[in-house]
Amino acid sequence: MPAFRAPRGTRDLLPAERAAFARLERIARDLGARYGYREMETPLFELSGVFERGIGEVTDVVEKELFRLAPRTEEAEAWALRPEATAGIVRAYLQHGMHTWPSPVKLMLTGPMFRYDRPQAGRFRQFWQWDVEAIGDAGPAVDAELVELGLRFYRDAGLADVDVRLNSIGDGVCRPAYIEVLRAHYRPAIDRLPDVERARLETNPLRLLDSKDPALAALNAGAPRIADHLCDPCAEHLAAVRAHLDALGIGHVVDHALVRGLDYYTRTAFEFYRRGAEGQQSALGGGGRYDGLIELLGGRPTPGIGFALGLDRVVLALDAAGRAAPPEAGPLAVVVGADPGATAERLRIVTLLRGEGIRARADLGVRKLGRQLEGASRDGAHFAIILGDELADGEVQLRDLQAGTQRPVRLADLVRELQRADASHRHGEAAQA
Ligand code: HAM
């Protein structure tokens, strides 16, 4: 047993898994750029207030899951690792005066987030999100556009069976009255509520709706629906988002219990699930509108909407189907030598090849040629470049490990030969695919 292990709820991404993440990041970046989103970064930690105020003091994410950094003695500021990206992006939007940019400001970010969650399947303390935000557009068309983008990501990633669930959680006009209706519904049963839910009835009664506690099942089934309590503008917004989704041919389910776990949401809220796996724990991604957040963090009233897709869960789903990791590319060529000790020559030639952009490795161990060639085959290399006595005359042996053929090549022609062989090899692979 090693003395140290990765912290609970975190894990190392070994090369094959890192490649699976890299593939998703590539898909996300390409798609985001195609839809007009520009990539940015925020720090992995912020002043805690960004999250406390932005996400809400009485959310699980802030109350229970925020990774707070112990302040250094000389440091008065309280920091926390980012549990999500939206609050930090909005903080940056305000700090850099992005309201003067052409509207909407469309931003995206891919990176690790941190939540002190109870680790379990698909729930980590460090996890990766692709986050996308459109700030400045009140919708409803952009709401549908984002849902379509999310679904396209899953499809391109290789998950064809992802559905979207949708709801409106109202706004400052209609939600307070609905919350009172909701409280009135649960209050007669207050003695039967588990402690956590009883507290929530006061602080954040919406969360009772998506509680998985069996004690609430019957109560929740009969709970008043927010859809019946929306003000006219919110109801019209929801209807218009749905009409836009219909126009795109996107089937969707309105889920009256979908309330999301972060306080900044208004109106549109949505989550992505694999078909048959609906339920809070298993959301592949989620998002919604946050028309009050920019003002809450000190800006002028500005609408916004976005989503974050959990990349870990996509990798897990692809893994289960055996489709997560793209095949790793081995070197095109490995430089080996008849003289086991002549490592300097091998290093010199491989450096030359790399300088020309060729994916190459040299055998830098002092071992017999046969072992060097075995290593080259094990790496999946297409060619071995064998250095021997002819090197003095500017010549090497080029062995095609896949075809089992070998011929002399002038050193001066080597790069061109390798590039040509690689191109025709790729062409052959593409024709077969
Ligand atoms: P969220 O629903 O808290 O939303 O997280 C989005 C996604 O991140 C989840 O659906 C899930 O796939 C993944 N996720 C969350 N927590 C964990 C965890 N502990 N382990 C693994 N994956 C996890 C947000 O974060 C909002 N900022 C989304 C948003 C952007 N809304 C508007 N703009």
Side-chain angles (χ1 to χ4, degrees):
M1 197 65 164
F4 294 110
R5 304 175 67 85
R8 205 163 110 77
T10 74
R11 65 225 188 285
D12 302 306
L13 301 181
L14 300 186
E17 201 174 3
R18 186 64 190 87
F21 272 77
R23 174 178 163 269
L24 295 183
E25 287 165 354
R26 241 182 344 262
I27 295 171
R29 283 201 178 98
D30 289 352
L31 272 182
R34 200 189 306 168
Y35 281 65
Y37 290 87
R38 298 165 71 202
E39 199 167 12
M40 69 169 289
E41 298 288 344
T42 65
L44 299 193
F45 62 95
E46 298 268 358
L47 286 175
S48 311
V50 171
F51 307 123
E52 288 157 353
R53 197 180 307 169
I55 297 169
E57 304 255 16
V58 289
T59 54
D60 280 356
V61 169
V62 166
E63 234 171 10
K64 300 188 197 146
E65 297 169 5
L66 206 56
F67 263 101
R68 296 177 185 277
L69 301 180
R72 300 170 67 99
T73 43
E74 70 270 26
E75 202 68 73
E77 296 181 323
W79 294 321
L81 297 183
R82 64 181 186 193
E84 56 103 55
T86 313
I89 289 179
V90 168
R91 191 268 310 140
Y93 173 91
L94 294 170
Q95 181 176 338
H96 303 285
M98 293 188 211
H99 63 278
T100 61
W101 297 11
S103 178
V105 176
K106 294 166 81 177
L107 303 164
M108 66 171 158
L109 176 161
T110 312
M113 308 294 155
F114 306 86
R115 294 185 193 178
Y116 192 74
D117 234 339
R118 196 164 60 81
Q120 50 195 297
R123 202 161 272 274
F124 304 105
R125 288 181 171 171
Q126 176 174 346
F127 58 97
W128 274 258
Q129 285 186 343
W130 175 37
D131 185 277
V132 167
E133 311 289 350
I135 302 176
D137 187 330
V142 68
D143 306 33
E145 183 185 46
L146 269 170
V147 168
E148 192 275 331
L149 171 58
L151 289 172
R152 186 182 297 275
F153 170 82
Y154 293 119
R155 218 169 37 244
D156 287 3
L159 296 179
D161 59 345
V162 176
D163 287 334
V164 63
R165 300 175 80 80
L166 185 77
N167 198 13
S168 171
I169 53 170
D171 65 6
V173 174
C174 53
R175 194 166 29 195
Y178 171 67
I179 284 176
E180 285 317 312
V181 173
L182 208 54
R183 282 207 178 101
H185 170 75
Y186 287 104
R187 216 166 256 139
I190 194 159
D191 295 337
R192 283 186 281 134
L193 294 182
D195 288 348
V196 182
E197 313 297 357
R198 198 174 309 140
R200 276 185 170 163
L201 184 57
E202 295 315 314
T203 56
N204 200 350
L206 280 180
R207 291 317 304 268
L208 293 185
L209 284 174
D210 70 359
S211 167
K212 294 290 169 288
D213 198 306
L216 268 81
L219 268 174
N220 280 353
R225 294 172 159 188
I226 192 162
D228 301 325
H229 295 267
L230 293 175
C231 56
D232 288 346
C234 284
E236 281 159 23
H237 190 93
L238 176 60
V241 173
R242 300 194 64 192
H244 281 82
L245 288 172
D246 288 341
L248 291 174
I250 294 177
H252 56 277
V253 173
V254 174
D255 179 346
H256 299 285
L258 195 160
V259 293
R260 308 280 297 136
L262 315 167
D263 272 1
Y264 50 60
Y265 290 114
T266 50
R267 296 190 169 172
T268 312
F270 56 90
E271 281 177 344
F272 297 106
Y273 287 95
R274 296 195 78 191
R275 216 155 293 152
E278 294 83 0
Q280 191 66 19
Q281 302 288 21
S282 58
L284 287 176
R289 187 159 274 293
Y290 45 86
D291 294 345
L293 179 59
I294 287 109
E295 198 177 359
L296 193 66
L297 291 183
R300 293 189 219 134
T302 310
I305 183 166
F307 66 58
L309 311 187
L311 300 186
D312 306 73
R313 294 184 185 176
V314 177
V315 169
L316 284 175
L318 289 170
D319 248 344
R323 284 178 297 160
E328 288 181 70
L332 175 64
V334 175
V335 182
V336 298
D339 175 357
T343 49
E345 283 300 1
R346 305 205 282 273
L347 183 58
R348 184 175 69 80
I349 304 290
V350 78
T351 304
L352 188 142
L353 297 180
R354 288 166 175 164
E356 297 294 334
I358 290 173
R359 221 169 50 250
R361 165 177 95 68
D363 199 301
L364 297 178
V366 178
R367 53 182 184 169
K368 292 206 175 98
L369 177 60
R371 301 298 296 277
Q372 297 181 42
L373 284 167
E374 277 168 30
S377 296
R378 213 175 30 242
D379 274 5
H382 191 170
F383 294 102
I385 295 156
I386 306 170
L387 312 187
D389 294 340
E390 318 92 298
L391 192 58
D393 303 323
E395 213 168 79
V396 298
Q397 292 289 330
L398 183 62
R399 181 180 296 194
D400 187 326
L401 294 166
Q402 291 167 5
T405 55
Q406 184 170 321
R407 64 194 165 87
V409 169
R410 306 275 321 151
L411 198 50
D413 298 333
L414 184 61
V415 168
R416 198 158 14 96
E417 289 280 336
L418 286 172
Q419 282 166 341
R420 190 187 308 149
D422 192 29
S424 74
H425 182 66
R426 280 167 200 261
H427 183 72
E429 274 184 345
Q432 272 174 23

